[in-house]
Amino acid sequence: MNAGSGALAARSGATAWSRRVVDPALRDASRRTGSARPSVAPSRARRNAVTVRAAILGEVTDMIGIPLPEGRQLIATVKTNPQGVHTISLQCEPNAPLGLLLHWGVIRSAVSQDWQLLPPELNPPGTVVYKQKALQSPFPAFGALQLVLDPGVDAVEFCLKVETTGDWINDHGRNFRIELGGSPAGAGAAPRAPTTSKSFAPEYTLDVRMPPTPESPPPAPSHAAPPQHAAIRGSSAVNELAAGLDVLFGVAAYLRWEQMGKPRVDEDEKHRIYSDAVDHITQRLNSGESVEALETEFGVPPGLVRQTAALAAPPAAAPAQAKPTPPPGFTPPAPPKAAPAPAPSYGYDAAAAPAPVVGEATPMDIANLCEARANGAQLLWRRELNLGQANAVKLMVIEGRRTAQGMMQMIVFGRSDQGIVLHWAGLDEPAGEWKNPPHGWSSMPENSWATGGASWETEMEALTTARGWHAATIEAPCDRDGLAFVIRTADSAHWIKDDGQDFMCFADEATTLTDVRAIVKRRKEEERARRKAEKEERRRREREQQRSSPQKLKRGGLSTTTIKEVKMPARPEVIKRKDWNHDEIKMHQGALGHAGASGNVAGGSVDNICNSEEGATRSLMHRFNIASDLIPQCKGEGEAGLVAMAVWFRFMALRQLVWNNDYNIKPREISAAQLKCTTQLAALHKDDPAMRDVTRFIMATIGRGGDGDVGQRIRDEILVVQRNNNCMGGMMEEWHQKLHNNTSPDDVPICEALLKFIAADCDISVYWDHLHANGITKERMASYDRKICGEPSFKPDQYEGLTRDLKEYLRTLKAVHSGADLDSAAENVMGYHQDACKGKEINMPPVTEVATDRMRTLLHSACGFRDLGEPLHSMEGMLEARRELWNWTRPGGADNSRLKDVIYLDLALESAVRQVVEANLSSMATRAPVDVLKMTGLALENLALSSGGNEELVICLQQWQGVVGSAMNGGNDWALQAKSVVDRVNNALGEVSQRYINALQPTAHAMGGRLGVDGHVLDIFSEEVVRGTPAAPLSQMLRALDPRLREMSNMGSWSIVSPVEAAGVIEVINDLKDVQNKTYSVPTVLVSRRVGGEEDIPPGVVGLITPDMPDVLAHTSVRARNERVLFATVFDASRMSELEGMHGQAVNCAPVGADDLRITSVDPSSLGAAPGAGAVNMSMSAPSSGVNIAKREFMGRYAVPSPEFTGAIVGGKSRNLQELRGRLPDWINLPAQVALPFCTFDAVLAHPNNGHIAQHLQGLRQELEHLDFSNQVAFQDLLGRIRACIMQMVPTPELVDEMSRAFAAERLPWPEGHLGPEGAGGSGAAAHAWAAVTGVWASKYNDRAVLSCRKAGLSHENVSMAVLCQPVVQSQYAFVLHTTNPQTGDPNEIYGEVVCGMGEALVGNFPGRALSFVARKDDLTNARVTGFPSKANGLFTDAPTLIFRSDSNGEDLEGFAGAGLYDSIQMHEAKLRPVDYSRDPIVSDETFRAQALAAIAHAANEIEQALGSPQDIEGCIAADGALYVVQTRPQV
């Protein structure tokens, strides 16, 4: 069938629907004017306009309207591109029934007239195959159902099914049918004229697109015919190029409209602009100017006009001359930039090259696009690959370039008919292992994500200027290194490689083209030879060892071979750490308290343990055996059960439980019982990731244990020590009797105390000091079953022998009792030998695969530098060893027959880091800053390796590594960035501490009282546990580092959020939200340990001081400035402690600049009355402040589009944006908006359908009038009931009708389903939308709103809530701006804060600070960063949705801080995600950050100038670079 004719023929069983050209803009215009929508039409030929439109846009576009029951229509927008691919967009208007399905098939006339199925990859999401005869596709909840059909499809037949009711919808018993016809290649199709994206401002390179709905486009034509190319009279050259000249006509018309200031124009004016453009271009061509010259002048890529004309079909016969008019849907396109100089032509094989198709980009086009994408980078090499039409990716272009900054730039283009993804990583050399890309890399587009290994993925963007082509650019600081990649399709069905190997990108082309397979083959051969040689060498050594008389041990022998000690150098080696991928240590499970223990007590486990305690007191052997039996039972109660076991063992380690009750047990029996218990725990550590933290906690409280001679040697060796050194009596004999009867962990510090005693020339105070430091007193030693009452006494001639023998004996004691001792744990893993004692020697073999030469070097470095007092090198060795052990210690890690010993080595390394930090804290102030940064990073890595659910810690670690790199390279802002990471880590540590308290303290109290544990021990139980975790040394490091960072960043000890001098009495509180309902009768300065950012400030408060860090533009901060209340953050912990000690004192607080606060004592009698103190009854009645809220009346409109906004029906939030339309540069975008006016709530509530709700609400309001607000529980309960009552309201038919019409006028998609509460008629997305609307209405009764009105003496019932409906911008960054600096009051400075994701993270209760900056209005391009972000999370929206914003008559009152009191609610809730600033360019890329902040500052300045007063602005930058302003109000 000729694509231009569009003739349709109905056949039996199906109704044919005509394909009529209907411009989408015309359709929208018909919605606004209320004209009839498209309806059923008889079969007819397609109008000639199709060919004209195809020539301009490169595709055929038709729209069909199909009437459905209940007044609905199915709108089908059909497009056919130049390659013949059809796209059908199906949307049910005004909304779709819940559960609507498309039951359909396609007709391929060349095959048969029966229904055919599509290839699975073309099926819409959620499609299922019905009996192998049809497809069933669900309509999406939001948006249209998209069908993509290959060129072989001639028609689509379908009917509709409503799953919720089982109803079928068809055309009077027949299927609906849409005829498609063939490819439009012969219809004169031509590519769309390329356009260039608009940027923030002309001088920036950040790409920002125009908004989907321009503020003031010329209305689409509704009556004029499109231009006919042959109707343009002129020279033969003009007539020959007629089909391509539409490109120039459109650009010239756009430029003329832009020069006029982009005014709103009617149809006649629009036609005149377009006609003038046609006349102008035609006249200049007739005068002899060349097309090429005009292309250059108007920014059209060279040759595009002739190329378009050549590809177009010959024009139809010329009709009578008519006045040229714009094509259908003409919205002037942005003028394209001039194309760069042509790049060298491609080297495609002519025989294999695909045949040219209409609209296909040429090799020259792609070369030009590569050059434009390179942004001036130098070309090193280029590859062009023809992979064949059968492949998912048919053509590829790869370029390697070098930027001016020395970065490697890799540009990849791919020709594919489906979405494709770049799967890539760093590479040391060809055939090397993939590794994490070097720090500082970037991608375009920015949508990149880690895959969990070393690789990353970047979504390749579809190019609008080259149909079917996708592109991605990676820039990385590679010198000799390179990049490797493959391409996969979005559904992962196809992976594209370079003839079987990975694609590579090195600076050198020869290296890039290396045949990796040959290298791999050679390496495999070399590896086989090496393994063979190693195997032979191993056999040779084994034969030699067998000949060297191996000693067979008695019972429980560990090895038949004597373990030879490996000699290490006297001075340890400074190790070089590997380039580890920190993403590999992320654990999503295992965090203590996240698997059910938080706040819960496992009663069964607690009972079992307490009932078993009497038997456990006999000896440690009995205790460990009982524990082994109870572990499976505790595990059966989940994490809470294992927490009970952990608490029990902790009580034991704290010596709160009896270890031995006159029961004689051999040491080897205790050791074997320990081994039985720890082996179970090691298996649990490996196999149950959710229990990782609690399992490690239990293991750290007990020794490793062992079997055979390891335990028995404790009993035997002490006799040898005594006999060898002639010390058979006194304290040594008492100790011998204890060891012989029942050894315990106390024996380790006793042995250490004896060694220190001897080294101090028998100074008895040294002996007792060490014992006391380990919790051992004279009384405890006298309480042993075999008492130790004497003190040691040795002669000088005994010193040398005792020192030698006791050191060796200490090894034996630690092997059983000290699981977390590094030296002992390292020996146990690496293998060691002890000479025979009573005929039995110890030979502990090395742990297979773990005891490598590198591990030996690392442990030698860790221990050696520890002993030398060099903490940095020691910690580097410890952490590198832990990373080497990660293969076994990670959740689900590699198995090993001695896994328990590996875990204990890891625990020992973890503990050793803490000991090194604590031993060297006092020297931090004198160490080099970079060394302190490195040590802090190592302490953070130590915590991350030990903590389950550690994603936040790993992200902080990655950020910290960037800070260290910046400091080493002399970066400008490293101290400021380090401060932000310190703040973020401190927040994370607070969360860790709280988790431990919530998980452990309830069980400790439940169990401790029954076991007779000391009350003080119980009270501080969790606190002391936290101090023993890796969190403690990190916290100590941060506390030591913070003052130095603040000093280097010129930050001071304070941040003054609201610079007001205040005098009052200090009151210390835990959380500001706990006192919101309180009224202070005397002026009060609150010192609050917690301020979230959303709280209200109580009456009588004149100052607020906190160590917390709310944003300067958070709600609480804004209200403090508006109410003239001092608000300051104190960073210095010691200063905070001083303030807490001043509780009850009268002080004067005077800000000194923006970073200091001078506090002096004053006479309490000088304070005067507290502001707002007259409102003592705390009810709804309060004294008037002179500010009034005018009561509004319902104006008869339930919903209005933005052109109808007036002050009588909506608030300033709605009007301010509308006032900006047409007054801002086009790179500043404003969203479409619909408003539900003031008193719409009252009108809906008054409807009979809501009569019972109105009655109930009236009673609740009366109850509120008489409530005592100081009763916070009753207050919050009543407000909650009021909000719940409001959210039960149902919409009225008038509201639904007016809302749907207003949405159509604003081109806002109407939510799928039925508007109303779920369970009361609401369904689908519309139910979510209604919940958001009623949620905004109900926010009139949130606590901060009610309290603020009461405090200001305002009539709360006069508050009327308009609701502003907007599409949600899927933002990458959100910002809040004050065009007068709120901290200094300087009108020449703009102050702004930026967060990743949506703005609710900025203005709401999200811990951490935003990125803050200041920009001078006379130098907007050079914004100065005053603080980097420390917020751990951002809010993100992944799919189109709506937001409903409060817009009350109480938010814009002069003298009342009403902003932020009420809620804005999304139809679909945004998702909370962690933010990794090390990979976000707003932090990691200084150039990007400067451009983004400058653009934001320019936008703020433009808005202030447009509105004529300082503004409080909210906006965002979308993922595609578009800058939006979503809200502005006068700054107060």
Side-chain angles (χ1 to χ4, degrees):
M1 182 183 294
N2 189 327
S5 69
L8 301 172
R11 71 175 180 85
S12 176
T15 298
W17 297 87
S18 71
R19 298 190 53 195
R20 301 183 298 131
V21 176
V22 182
D23 174 45
L26 176 59
R27 179 188 64 183
D28 293 329
S30 73
R31 292 185 192 171
R32 290 193 296 270
T33 59
S35 58
R37 290 195 174 99
S39 58
V40 182
S43 178
R44 68 183 71 177
R46 182 183 288 123
R47 297 191 326 218
N48 289 335
V50 171
T51 58
V52 178
R53 184 169 176 80
I56 297 172
L57 301 181
E59 57 189 18
V60 178
T61 303
D62 291 349
M63 191 177 75
I64 304 162
I66 303 174
L68 301 177
E70 299 180 0
R72 293 187 173 96
Q73 284 197 91
L74 184 67
I75 304 298
T77 303
V78 185
K79 294 184 179 181
T80 302
N81 73 5
Q83 289 74 44
V85 175
H86 313 288
T87 303
I88 302 178
S89 175
L90 298 172
Q91 188 155 11
C92 192
E93 296 188 352
N95 54 43
L98 185 64
L100 186 64
L101 284 178
L102 185 76
H103 182 87
W104 61 293
V106 300
I107 304 298
R108 304 179 190 273
S109 300
V111 179
S112 77
Q113 290 298 316
D114 294 328
W115 282 21
Q116 307 287 322
L117 305 183
L118 285 179
E121 59 268 19
L122 292 182
N123 290 341
T127 296
V128 298
V129 178
Y130 179 78
K131 297 184 178 180
Q132 298 301 317
K133 294 181 179 180
L135 301 170
Q136 289 188 340
S137 303
F139 279 72
F142 199 78
L145 174 61
Q146 302 285 347
L147 309 182
V148 180
L149 311 174
D150 59 82
V153 176
D154 299 308
V156 175
E157 288 192 7
F158 64 93
C159 56
L160 301 170
K161 181 183 180 182
V162 182
E163 269 200 315
T164 53
T165 63
D167 294 338
W168 288 86
I169 303 172
N170 54 37
D171 187 26
H172 305 291
R174 296 183 299 173
N175 297 324
F176 298 112
R177 179 182 173 104
I178 299 177
E179 294 281 359
L180 297 172
S183 168
R192 185 195 302 266
T195 59
T196 302
S197 298
K198 297 287 182 114
S199 62
F200 302 120
E203 61 266 34
Y204 308 125
T205 59
L206 274 172
D207 190 34
V208 179
R209 300 190 310 177
M210 294 290 289
T213 305
E215 292 89 288
S216 54
S222 59
H223 54 76
Q228 305 297 320
H229 299 304
I232 304 171
R233 292 184 178 178
S235 65
S236 59
V238 173
N239 290 331
E240 291 172 0
L241 298 175
L245 287 178
D246 283 307
V247 176
L248 275 177
F249 296 158
V251 173
Y254 174 87
L255 293 176
R256 175 59 182 149
W257 177 65
E258 188 177 52
Q259 291 166 0
M260 295 167 64
K262 297 185 178 179
R264 287 193 177 275
V265 292
D266 57 21
E267 297 300 327
D268 291 337
E269 179 65 13
K270 180 176 177 181
H271 298 156
R272 188 190 64 76
I273 294 172
Y274 191 83
S275 179
D276 288 348
V278 173
D279 293 342
H280 177 75
I281 297 296
T282 304
Q283 183 179 9
R284 292 180 63 176
L285 288 171
N286 288 337
S287 66
E289 287 192 58
S290 68
V291 171
E292 290 73 18
L294 291 175
E295 286 177 328
T296 301
E297 178 180 338
F298 287 98
V300 175
L304 182 59
V305 171
R306 294 189 184 277
Q307 175 190 342
T308 303
L311 290 172
Q321 184 172 357
K323 177 181 178 181
T325 56
F330 165 71
T331 296
K337 296 178 181 178
S345 61
Y346 291 97
Y348 292 133
D349 179 17
V357 287
V358 176
E360 186 75 29
T362 66
M364 187 65 71
D365 293 334
I366 301 304
N368 290 339
L369 289 171
C370 286
E371 192 67 38
R373 199 175 186 90
N375 199 24
Q378 177 189 0
L379 179 67
L380 303 176
W381 50 264
R382 175 185 291 108
R383 295 184 68 193
E384 305 91 16
L385 303 169
N386 185 351
L387 305 179
Q389 292 297 305
N391 282 317
V393 177
K394 300 168 177 57
L395 305 172
M396 282 184 63
V397 177
I398 312 169
E399 289 188 349
R401 292 175 176 262
R402 183 74 71 183
T403 68
Q405 295 76 29
M407 303 277 278
M408 166 67 74
Q409 184 186 79
M410 178 178 75
I411 299 176
V412 182
F413 274 63
R415 174 69 171 86
S416 177
D417 295 329
Q418 56 186 305
I420 53 178
V421 176
L422 193 72
H423 183 87
W424 63 281
L427 198 63
D428 286 326
E429 58 179 353
E433 293 291 328
W434 281 29
K435 66 174 187 177
N436 213 40
H439 181 75
W441 64 268
S442 63
S443 68
M444 186 176 71
E446 296 174 5
N447 190 16
S448 296
W449 58 90
T451 63
S455 62
W456 279 73
E457 291 193 333
T458 299
E459 181 181 7
M460 297 182 68
E461 61 180 320
L463 302 179
T464 58
T465 51
R467 186 177 292 108
W469 284 87
H470 306 255
T473 303
I474 307 295
E475 288 189 5
C478 299
D479 185 14
R480 296 182 180 179
D481 295 352
L483 302 172
F485 73 92
V486 295
I487 292 178
R488 68 170 177 85
T489 55
D491 59 4
S492 298
H494 303 280
W495 292 76
I496 293 84
K497 289 195 167 189
D498 187 8
D499 193 21
Q501 67 181 39
D502 299 337
F503 295 97
M504 296 183 294
C505 177
F506 288 88
D508 175 56
E509 184 173 12
T511 307
T512 299
L513 299 176
T514 301
D515 184 355
V516 172
R517 286 164 296 192
I519 298 176
V520 171
K521 181 179 179 181
R522 185 180 70 250
R523 288 180 177 176
K524 286 182 177 179
E525 293 172 350
E526 292 173 350
E527 178 66 14
R528 280 195 293 268
R530 184 187 65 79
R531 288 181 178 178
K532 183 178 179 181
E534 286 182 351
K535 186 176 181 180
E536 292 176 352
E537 175 63 18
R538 187 164 56 251
R539 287 176 176 174
R540 184 188 63 79
R541 289 198 303 266
E542 290 173 354
R543 289 193 296 268
E544 289 181 355
Q545 290 173 354
Q546 290 172 359
R547 288 195 296 266
S548 63
S549 302
Q551 181 178 4
K552 298 288 184 179
L553 302 182
K554 296 181 182 179
R555 57 191 182 278
L558 299 173
S559 174
T560 60
T561 304
T562 301
I563 304 301
K564 296 181 179 179
E565 183 179 357
V566 178
K567 295 293 183 182
M568 300 297 291
R571 180 170 177 81
E573 175 186 347
V574 177
I575 62 102
K576 181 180 179 181
R577 297 206 61 187
K578 294 180 181 178
D579 185 18
W580 297 101
N581 178 8
H582 295 313
D583 285 327
E584 293 178 353
I585 65 172
K586 284 184 179 178
M587 293 177 280
H588 303 291
Q589 292 180 286
L592 183 64
H594 279 183
S598 183
N600 295 323
V601 176
S605 295
V606 170
D607 288 343
N608 289 336
I609 289 171
C610 292
N611 293 337
S612 302
E613 175 60 23
E614 183 178 358
T617 60
R618 298 184 204 174
S619 71
L620 289 177
M621 180 198 73
H622 291 85
R623 186 173 296 278
F624 292 133
N625 282 332
I626 290 171
S628 296
D629 294 337
L630 289 177
I631 285 175
Q633 300 176 34
C634 291
K635 185 177 181 299
E637 287 199 82
E639 186 186 35
L642 288 174
V643 164
M645 177 66 66
V647 170
W648 187 42
F649 272 118
R650 178 71 177 179
F651 286 155
M652 181 200 73
L654 293 173
R655 302 180 176 88
Q656 293 294 305
L657 306 179
V658 176
W659 287 3
N660 183 269
N661 192 7
D662 198 20
Y663 208 98
N664 190 4
I665 294 293
K666 298 180 178 65
R668 62 184 176 85
E669 293 173 329
I670 297 176
S671 179
Q674 279 181 302
L675 178 63
K676 179 182 176 183
C677 185
T678 55
T679 300
Q680 281 192 71
L681 292 169
L684 187 61
H685 184 283
K686 176 182 181 296
D687 297 333
D688 196 339
M691 304 299 156
R692 186 175 192 271
D693 278 12
V694 66
T695 304
R696 291 175 68 88
F697 179 22
I698 299 172
M699 294 182 74
T701 60
I702 55 179
R704 292 189 305 273
D707 57 4
D709 297 326
V710 173
Q712 183 60 30
R713 193 178 176 99
I714 291 177
R715 192 174 191 178
D716 297 340
E717 193 172 347
I718 186 60
L719 288 170
V720 175
V721 173
Q722 289 180 278
R723 290 169 181 166
N724 287 347
N725 297 282
N726 193 23
C727 50
M728 298 300 294
M731 176 267 171
M732 288 295 287
E733 180 58 24
E734 291 176 331
W735 188 34
H736 165 224
Q737 292 300 321
K738 176 195 178 301
L739 290 163
H740 186 85
N741 181 64
N742 207 320
T743 184
S744 71
D746 281 4
D747 294 320
V748 174
I750 290 174
C751 187
E752 291 172 337
L754 289 172
L755 286 167
K756 289 179 179 291
F757 170 69
I758 295 169
D761 195 18
C762 292
D763 184 344
I764 197 64
S765 64
V766 173
Y767 171 78
W768 285 113
D769 285 347
H770 185 75
L771 290 177
H772 291 161
N774 285 273
I776 301 175
T777 62
K778 288 183 179 180
E779 292 75 17
R780 177 168 180 80
M781 297 177 78
S783 70
Y784 297 147
D785 287 341
R786 298 295 185 266
K787 301 177 182 180
I788 301 178
C789 298
E791 292 182 338
S793 177
F794 305 121
K795 298 177 181 178
D797 60 357
Q798 295 175 298
Y799 288 0
E800 182 178 353
L802 276 172
T803 300
R804 178 190 65 246
D805 292 346
L806 285 174
K807 282 183 177 180
E808 190 66 18
Y809 190 51
L810 184 61
R811 292 175 67 190
T812 300
L813 291 170
K814 286 183 174 181
V816 174
H817 295 303
S818 299
D821 178 77
L822 179 56
D823 298 279
S824 176
E827 277 190 343
N828 204 48
V829 168
M830 300 308 299
Y832 69 96
H833 167 81
Q834 282 186 291
D835 290 335
C837 179
K838 290 193 172 184
K840 296 182 285 291
E841 67 178 28
I842 300 295
N843 286 294
M844 181 64 69
V847 176
T848 306
E849 297 181 332
V850 180
T852 62
D853 290 341
R854 175 164 174 79
M855 181 61 69
R856 190 178 303 278
T857 300
L858 294 176
L859 294 174
H860 181 60
S861 177
C863 298
F865 283 120
R866 174 201 61 191
D867 298 339
L868 292 172
E870 298 186 28
L872 174 59
H873 297 325
S874 175
M875 292 173 69
E876 286 175 333
M878 293 172 183
L879 268 301
E880 189 68 7
R882 293 200 68 188
R883 293 303 289 264
E884 293 285 356
L885 295 176
W886 180 250
N887 184 47
W888 295 274
T889 60
R890 62 182 173 83
D895 205 356
N896 192 292
S897 60
R898 290 175 58 192
L899 181 62
K900 179 252 314 178
D901 293 331
V902 177
I903 295 173
Y904 268 108
L905 175 57
D906 188 60
L907 287 168
L909 288 163
E910 170 197 299
S911 177
V913 172
R914 177 175 58 83
Q915 295 165 8
V916 169
V917 169
E918 291 172 347
N920 291 275
L921 271 177
S922 60
S923 67
M924 293 301 166
T926 60
R927 293 185 181 275
V930 171
D931 285 353
V932 178
L933 290 177
K934 288 181 178 179
M935 291 174 63
T936 304
L938 292 166
L940 175 55
E941 185 178 0
N942 191 51
L943 176 60
L945 285 166
S946 299
S947 303
N950 65 357
E951 185 175 13
E952 171 64 4
L953 296 170
V954 173
I955 290 174
C956 291
L957 176 60
Q958 290 166 330
Q959 284 186 249
W960 194 261
Q961 298 294 350
V963 168
V964 174
S966 178
M968 294 177 67
N969 296 326
N972 296 326
D973 296 323
W974 70 263
L976 203 58
Q977 291 191 35
K979 180 65 175 71
S980 72
V981 184
V982 167
D983 293 341
R984 181 170 181 174
V985 175
N986 275 323
N987 286 335
L989 291 178
E991 190 271 336
V992 169
S993 177
Q994 194 60 48
R995 276 198 295 106
Y996 270 71
I997 293 171
N998 294 343
L1000 299 176
Q1001 201 65 35
T1003 300
H1005 278 293
M1007 188 184 296
R1010 296 174 63 177
L1011 297 179
V1013 175
D1014 181 82
H1016 178 68
V1017 171
L1018 286 179
D1019 290 340
I1020 63 172
F1021 180 82
S1022 300
E1023 180 182 340
E1024 290 300 314
V1025 169
V1026 172
R1027 285 178 180 162
T1029 68
L1034 176 58
S1035 179
Q1036 293 170 317
M1037 289 292 300
L1038 296 180
R1039 188 173 300 178
L1041 183 60
D1042 189 80
R1044 299 184 68 181
L1045 292 177
R1046 283 189 279 104
E1047 180 182 359
M1048 299 176 75
S1049 304
N1050 299 316
M1051 290 183 67
S1053 298
W1054 295 85
S1055 174
I1056 309 301
V1057 179
S1058 176
V1060 179
E1061 185 171 355
V1065 175
I1066 289 181
E1067 177 165 327
V1068 180
I1069 60 174
N1070 284 320
D1071 199 322
L1072 180 60
K1073 68 179 175 62
D1074 294 338
V1075 298
Q1076 286 185 106
N1077 297 63
K1078 186 175 180 179
T1079 293
Y1080 290 89
S1081 58
V1082 298
T1084 302
V1085 176
L1086 291 180
V1087 177
S1088 180
R1089 299 184 182 96
R1090 173 82 177 109
V1091 174
E1094 288 193 315
E1095 304 89 343
D1096 199 41
I1097 299 172
V1101 172
V1102 296
L1104 177 60
I1105 298 174
T1106 180
D1108 227 327
M1109 296 171 292
D1111 295 301
V1112 173
L1113 301 183
H1115 292 320
T1116 304
S1117 306
V1118 173
R1119 285 196 279 276
R1121 288 190 293 269
N1122 291 344
E1123 296 175 9
R1124 303 296 298 162
V1125 172
L1126 168 72
F1127 189 10
T1129 292
V1130 56
F1131 295 118
D1132 192 326
S1134 61
R1135 194 75 181 99
M1136 178 65 185
S1137 298
E1138 292 177 15
L1139 288 168
E1140 291 178 333
M1142 298 173 70
H1143 179 78
Q1145 296 184 26
V1147 297
N1148 183 78
C1149 305
V1152 181
D1155 58 4
D1156 196 10
L1157 187 69
R1158 184 175 60 248
I1159 301 176
T1160 56
S1161 297
V1162 297
D1163 185 353
S1165 63
S1166 67
L1167 296 179
V1176 294
N1177 69 341
M1178 285 303 290
S1179 69
M1180 285 292 290
S1181 302
S1184 174
S1185 61
V1187 181
N1188 293 306
I1189 298 180
K1191 187 173 180 61
R1192 301 301 180 114
E1193 300 294 335
F1194 182 56
M1195 304 298 291
R1197 296 294 302 276
Y1198 288 89
V1200 293
S1202 59
E1204 301 179 36
F1205 290 176
T1206 68
I1209 59 175
V1210 295
K1213 191 179 296 183
S1214 304
R1215 299 195 314 277
N1216 291 340
L1217 279 188
Q1218 189 61 22
E1219 190 177 345
L1220 286 173
R1221 295 194 186 277
R1223 303 174 64 182
L1224 297 176
D1226 57 7
W1227 56 270
I1228 302 177
N1229 302 313
L1230 304 175
Q1233 48 187 9
V1234 167
L1236 310 187
F1238 295 141
C1239 299
T1240 298
F1241 164 76
D1242 302 284
V1244 174
L1245 183 65
H1247 193 277
N1249 291 345
N1250 291 313
H1252 63 293
I1253 295 175
Q1255 185 177 1
H1256 185 204
L1257 182 60
Q1258 181 61 29
L1260 294 173
R1261 284 170 167 170
Q1262 292 175 357
E1263 188 177 342
L1264 182 62
E1265 284 286 339
H1266 301 94
L1267 182 71
D1268 180 1
F1269 284 15
S1270 62
N1271 186 338
Q1272 187 167 354
V1273 174
F1275 174 72
Q1276 292 183 345
D1277 173 71
L1278 177 56
L1279 292 184
R1281 286 187 284 133
I1282 292 175
R1283 293 193 296 270
C1285 177
I1286 292 173
M1287 295 190 70
Q1288 295 174 23
M1289 293 169 58
V1290 297
T1292 65
E1294 296 85 356
L1295 173 68
V1296 175
D1297 178 64
E1298 290 195 26
M1299 275 188 74
S1300 63
R1301 285 192 281 113
F1303 270 54
E1306 289 287 333
R1307 305 183 192 179
L1308 280 175
W1310 183 252
E1312 166 270 335
H1314 295 284
L1315 207 64
E1318 289 184 342
S1323 62
H1328 293 290
W1330 182 246
V1333 170
T1334 55
V1336 174
W1337 283 338
S1339 70
K1340 173 180 175 178
Y1341 292 94
N1342 66 45
D1343 52 358
R1344 64 178 182 270
V1346 174
L1347 289 172
S1348 293
C1349 283
R1350 193 218 60 82
K1351 185 167 63 175
L1354 298 173
S1355 173
H1356 184 259
E1357 288 307 316
N1358 283 351
V1359 173
S1360 185
M1361 187 76 67
V1363 180
L1364 181 61
C1365 317
Q1366 295 176 333
V1368 170
V1369 179
Q1370 293 171 244
S1371 57
Q1372 191 73 19
Y1373 306 105
F1375 54 81
V1376 175
L1377 309 169
H1378 280 193
T1379 58
T1380 291
N1381 191 330
Q1383 292 184 291
T1384 63
D1386 188 345
N1388 296 312
E1389 282 186 344
I1390 295 169
Y1391 178 86
E1393 293 181 339
V1394 183
V1395 294
C1396 293
M1398 304 186 68
E1400 281 68 18
L1402 177 57
V1403 298
N1405 186 12
F1406 282 69
R1409 296 289 290 269
L1411 183 148
S1412 57
F1413 71 95
V1414 171
R1416 298 283 305 174
K1417 293 178 182 176
D1418 56 2
D1419 189 16
L1420 293 170
T1421 304
N1422 296 307
R1424 175 173 59 87
V1425 176
T1426 58
F1428 282 93
S1430 60
K1431 290 185 183 294
N1433 297 298
L1435 281 170
F1436 296 89
T1437 300
D1438 297 328
T1441 188
L1442 299 170
I1443 188 169
F1444 299 84
R1445 300 182 184 275
S1446 63
D1447 190 22
S1448 77
N1449 59 342
E1451 296 181 53
D1452 303 304
L1453 298 177
E1454 185 175 353
F1456 175 60
L1461 291 179
Y1462 310 103
D1463 295 342
S1464 296
I1465 303 174
Q1466 280 192 195
M1467 183 171 71
H1468 297 102
E1469 189 174 356
K1471 296 177 181 177
L1472 194 67
R1473 291 180 189 155
V1475 180
D1476 184 353
Y1477 297 110
S1478 69
R1479 293 167 177 163
D1480 196 296
I1482 201 69
V1483 171
S1484 62
D1485 187 331
E1486 189 172 348
T1487 301
F1488 176 91
R1489 180 172 65 249
Q1491 292 174 351
L1493 298 185
I1496 294 170
H1498 274 87
N1501 197 48
E1502 292 281 356
I1503 293 169
E1504 183 184 56
Q1505 290 181 4
L1507 297 178
S1509 65
Q1511 293 292 303
D1512 174 355
I1513 303 163
E1514 294 181 25
C1516 59
I1517 298 175
D1520 61 1
L1523 187 148
Y1524 285 81
V1525 172
V1526 299
Q1527 185 173 313
T1528 186
R1529 62 170 71 91
Q1531 180 180 338
V1532 292

